[in-house]
Every structure is written in structure tokens, then in C-alpha cells.
Amino acid sequence: MSTTPNVPYRLEFSVEVPGTPEQVWQAIATARGMSAWFLPTELEEREGGSLHFSMGPEMGSDGRVTGWDPPRRLAYEEDWAALMGKGADELSPLTSEFLVEARSGGTCVVHVTSSGFGTGADWEAEFWEDMGVNWMPFFDNLRLYLSHFPGQQATQLEATASRPGDVATLWKSMRDALGAVDEGATVQVRDTSGTVERLGERQALVRLTAPVPGMLSAFVFDEDAGKATLGVRAYLFSADAADYVRREGPVWRAWLEEL
């Protein structure tokens, strides 16, 4: 097997979202926007600008903006090798491109392409398969954000717990505890309530209505060795959001640990 990055990988998909091209651009090409439906983001909004996605304590992905054509095209590349702890000669940068296409009726289609080159190792193919599964649900977040909270700044809450058991069983326990039996169902965890907007194989997206408005993503992913990670990530849009995070963050963590 070659040790130079000449094996191509590519992921492509398109999503239709509400909003004008300018509203969609604000959501996908600014730090404020991306932090409201994706990960906490730092972004210099220009070609050549630096980029950082925060993935947790002392974890993140660094990159730079390589294409900037508001409100039509954004491209950036991340240091895939550094992210995976590999040598710079093993992996090319991970390049992503967003193209915004206006449609009639007040919607846009966002065409997303990510690509890179590796050496053909088994883990690389698994990375790209997992990337599609794990990344695409964020675009349900984008659609919900543009539907109900366009332009608003989010306060994020994230809680996770590692639990023994298989993914399917733990996901059923989590879904049942939420009350997420179907799309449109009402969710109630202590004093937090909302409505299920999207129900996936191992992920639920809830539009929160009380005590603060926002979006909550509940998810499970496999850790191997008979364990799985259960998590919730909330994007809150209220002057009271920071107080909610301080008060309810430990509650969500305890809830996950008890499932």
C-alpha cells in the first residue's frame, strides 16, 4: 500500500432550507451562524482567514478559508492529518465546499462537498463512512435554525455519558425516556419541554419551547468494547440561556448517566 496521499475520498449531498441566500450565508459562513447549528466556531470571514471548530475540551479542528464568494460559495480546508494524529505526508487537507442555490418560494438548496486524499488504509474508509452518518444530521439543525431562529446567537449546552451496552438498546432507552416515540411527539425532561422535529436511526432533534426556546439534539454512538456514548447538544436562543446552562447542564448529565 502506498504511503503517499493519492487515494481519493469524496462525500456529496444537498439540502433544501428556508431563507434567502443572504440568510443562508449568515448561517453557513459566519462564526455566529455556524455556532448556532454546528459546533462552536471561530472564523475569519474572508478568503485566507483562519478557522477553528471546537469538538470538546482540548479537541478541535483547525483550517483556513480557501473560497469566499458571498452569498454563493464558501470553501475551506482542515488539517486532516493533525486532527487524526497522522504525519503530514499521509493525508491531504480535508476540503469542504458549500454552494448556495436560490429557489423560488423563499428557499435555497445548499450543495455540500467534502473531499480528501489518503493512503487507502481501512480506517480512512471508515472515517468517511462515519463522517457522512455523523455530519448530515447537523443539516437538520440548519433547517430548523433557519425556520425558527435565523440570525440569532446561540448559547450551547452539551452533556455526554459513556455507558456499557449496545447502541440499539441504549438508543431505545434514551428515546423512550425522552418520549421521542415519533415525529411530532411532545418531549418532557423535568421542566424542559419541546416537540420532536426529526427522528433518525440513532438521533432525535427536538425544538425546545420551555423554559427557553432552542434546539436539542439527542444522540448515541458506538465506542466499541461493549460501550456507547450518549449525548445531548442544545442550542439555546434566549437572554436566559446562560442561566439555563448553568442550572440544567448537570441535570442533563445525570439524566444520561441514569439511562
Side-chain angles (χ1 to χ4, degrees):
M1 183 177 63
S2 172
T3 58
T4 59
N6 58 10
V7 178
Y9 299 96
R10 190 175 182 88
L11 173 67
E12 292 183 277
F13 58 92
S14 298
V15 293
E16 187 169 6
V17 297
T20 65
E22 290 75 18
Q23 288 173 317
V24 175
W25 180 262
Q26 184 279 332
I28 66 170
T30 70
R32 177 189 178 107
M34 294 195 80
S35 298
W37 61 273
F38 187 42
L39 299 173
T41 300
E42 299 173 19
L43 172 65
E44 291 182 340
E45 297 166 14
R46 60 177 177 83
E47 187 166 350
S50 63
L51 172 71
H52 178 78
F53 297 123
S54 177
M55 300 176 177
E58 301 182 3
M59 287 185 61
S61 180
D62 293 304
R64 66 184 184 92
V65 177
T66 58
W68 184 264
D69 182 15
R72 192 186 69 88
R73 177 180 179 269
L74 168 72
Y76 59 83
E77 59 182 31
E78 300 169 75
D79 191 339
W80 187 21
L83 179 64
M84 304 308 299
K86 302 292 183 178
D89 59 343
E90 293 181 71
L91 301 171
S92 76
L94 173 59
T95 299
S96 295
E97 180 184 60
F98 294 69
L99 295 176
V100 180
E101 177 188 355
R103 292 283 176 90
S104 61
T107 67
C108 291
V109 174
V110 182
H111 303 282
V112 183
T113 303
S114 290
S115 59
F117 290 87
T119 62
D122 289 343
W123 75 265
E124 294 170 1
E126 293 172 3
F127 173 90
W128 283 88
E129 182 177 353
D130 290 343
M131 179 179 171
V133 171
N134 295 329
W135 197 26
M136 290 181 68
F138 281 105
F139 290 85
D140 291 325
N141 298 359
L142 174 62
R143 187 180 295 109
L144 187 57
Y145 172 65
L146 286 166
S147 296
H148 295 279
F149 311 104
Q152 295 188 44
Q153 183 170 350
T155 298
Q156 283 201 24
L157 177 155
E158 183 168 0
T160 60
S162 178
R163 297 294 310 279
D166 66 273
V167 168
T169 300
L170 288 170
W171 170 238
K172 184 178 185 305
S173 297
M174 187 180 200
R175 187 187 64 194
D176 291 347
L178 278 171
V181 293
D182 203 353
E183 292 179 2
T186 298
V187 166
Q188 183 78 40
V189 179
R190 284 193 67 208
D191 66 341
T192 302
S193 59
T195 302
V196 179
E197 295 279 343
R198 177 78 169 87
L199 190 59
E201 184 177 352
R202 295 173 186 171
Q203 184 260 355
L205 178 61
V206 177
R207 179 165 62 89
L208 298 176
T209 53
V212 294
M215 313 184 301
L216 182 139
S217 176
F219 54 89
V220 178
F221 63 83
D222 191 15
E223 293 182 28
D224 297 325
K227 289 186 176 183
T229 293
L230 292 79
V232 293
R233 180 182 294 111
Y235 309 82
L236 307 171
F237 305 97
S238 167
D240 300 325
D243 288 339
Y244 177 90
V245 171
R246 284 192 292 269
R247 184 178 71 251
E248 297 298 322
V251 173
W252 282 104
R253 280 186 285 274
W255 180 78
L256 293 169
E257 290 167 357
E258 291 170 0
L259 291 178

